[in-house]
């Protein structure tokens, strides 16, 4: 715990958004020598598996961000055939998974936050998830950074919620109260065959932007207040397995379902590695 504190406390003093804007410039640079050096270092340091990439040649990527949001080879992450399956939306590791109890979502070591706060302070937005279930999935730098649909859904609303940009690793989650409800994030609410589903894309330090397939880049720029977009008759319908968004640098996705609508796998617990497309639960 002392190590986690020493690692995390300096983040309160950092100019988080300024550093993230600087990182955005670096990661979008098309200077060949710089971006190739950066890509090679990340591949070596984190053990990125380029055999899975649609484009394995790093010279073909015009920037580091282009590499970071690389596509995978078709079929390399199959989605489940079971009609009641809920698929994993990302490569990564489970941070936490469980029930939303008393409107609160467990973070780590006695820390939690409310669904209301996570979803931008809206009681109306959070109400369908009262006593429901959640899972939080952390994407490390080695992971594939596009996000896909766990279920088929019709987009009802998107909200951009401004906030801080703390790291979202395990050490920070152990220390910073309400971490995922404090960081800048984008919440997308879908209507599915088992009711509302929320996909919350949480930003972090050095995450230069979050984007969705229907809107494009949502942030930056950041904002001073929550911004919301509601979708009517022309609302996008995204099928299970389709890309819904991406992190330009890595972070966390949180999935919410309502009461008695979904059941997670029994082994879905903190620290479990997961891969895009694998079944993580079933509809109820």
């Amino acid at each position: 715990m002392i190590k986690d504190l020493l690692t995390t406390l300096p983040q309160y003093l950092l100019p988080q958004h300024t550093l993230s804007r600087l990182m955005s410039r670096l990661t979008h640079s098309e200077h060949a020598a710089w971006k190739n050096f950066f890509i090679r270092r990340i591949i070596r340091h984190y053990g990125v598996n380029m055999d899975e990439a649609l484009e394995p040649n790093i010279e073909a990527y015009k920037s580091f961000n282009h590499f970071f949001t690389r596509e995978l080879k078709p079929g390399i992450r199959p989605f489940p055939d079971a009609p009641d399956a809920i698929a994993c939306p990302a490569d990564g590791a489970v941070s936490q998974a469980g029930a939303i109890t008393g409107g609160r979502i467990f973070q780590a070591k006695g820390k939690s936050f409310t669904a209301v706060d996570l979803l931008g302070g809206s009681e109306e937005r959070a109400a369908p998830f009262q006593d429901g279930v959640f899972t939080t999935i952390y994407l490390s730098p080695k992971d594939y950074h596009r996000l896909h649909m766990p279920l088929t859904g019709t987009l009802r609303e998107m909200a951009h919620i401004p906030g801080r940009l703390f790291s979202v690793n395990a050490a920070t989650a152990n220390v910073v109260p309400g971490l995922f409800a404090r960081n800048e994030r984008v919440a997308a609410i879908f209507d599915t065959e088992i009711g509302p589903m929320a996909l919350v894309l949480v930003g972090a330090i050095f995450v230069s932007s979050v984007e969705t397939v229907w809107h494009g880049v949502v942030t930056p720029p950041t904002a001073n207040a929550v911004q919301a977009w509601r979708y009517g008759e022309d609302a996008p319908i995204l099928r299970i397995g389709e890309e819904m968004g991406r992190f330009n640098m890595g972070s966390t996705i949180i999935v919410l379902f309502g009461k008695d609508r979904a059941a997670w796998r029994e082994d879905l617990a903190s620290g479990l590695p997961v891969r895009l497309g694998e079944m993580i639960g079933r509809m109820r």
Side-chain angles (χ1 to χ4, degrees), residues 86-136:
I86 298 172
C88 186
D91 280 358
V94 176
S95 176
Q96 299 293 341
I100 302 171
T101 305
R104 301 195 72 86
I105 296 170
F106 181 66
Q107 179 177 301
K109 294 189 177 182
K111 293 180 175 59
S112 64
F113 50 89
T114 68
V116 171
D117 287 343
L118 179 68
L119 297 175
S122 168
E123 297 274 359
E124 179 185 358
R125 204 176 286 134
F129 307 105
Q130 182 72 25
D131 299 322
V133 295
F134 78 96
T135 187
T136 304

Side-chain angles (χ1 to χ4, degrees), residues 30-164:
E30 297 185 12
H31 186 279
W34 155 251
K35 63 94 176 174
N36 289 339
F37 170 77
F38 200 5
I39 290 171
R40 289 191 180 98
R41 288 295 299 269
I42 292 294
I43 290 172
R44 282 198 298 267
H45 184 74
Y46 290 102
V48 177
N49 184 2
M50 291 303 290
D51 290 338
E52 295 183 334
L54 181 63
E55 177 51 77
N57 177 17
I58 69 166
E59 304 283 346
Y61 294 101
K62 63 183 181 181
S63 67
F64 177 82
N65 189 70
H66 188 206
F67 152 77
F68 206 79
T69 57
R70 62 195 175 276
E71 293 182 75
L72 295 177
K73 291 175 180 175
I76 208 160
R77 294 287 190 276
F79 275 68
D81 295 326
D84 63 344
I86 298 172
C88 186
D91 280 358
V94 176
S95 176
Q96 299 293 341
I100 302 171
T101 305
R104 301 195 72 86
I105 296 170
F106 181 66
Q107 179 177 301
K109 294 189 177 182
K111 293 180 175 59
S112 64
F113 50 89
T114 68
V116 171
D117 287 343
L118 179 68
L119 297 175
S122 168
E123 297 274 359
E124 179 185 358
R125 204 176 286 134
F129 307 105
Q130 182 72 25
D131 299 322
V133 295
F134 78 96
T135 187
T136 304
I137 298 172
Y138 168 70
L139 290 74
S140 77
K142 69 179 175 60
D143 291 318
Y144 170 68
H145 278 82
R146 299 190 185 199
L147 308 166
H148 294 248
M149 293 290 288
L151 287 179
T152 296
T154 301
L155 183 65
R156 181 205 304 170
E157 182 183 12
M158 181 178 73
H160 170 219
I161 305 149
R164 300 293 300 272

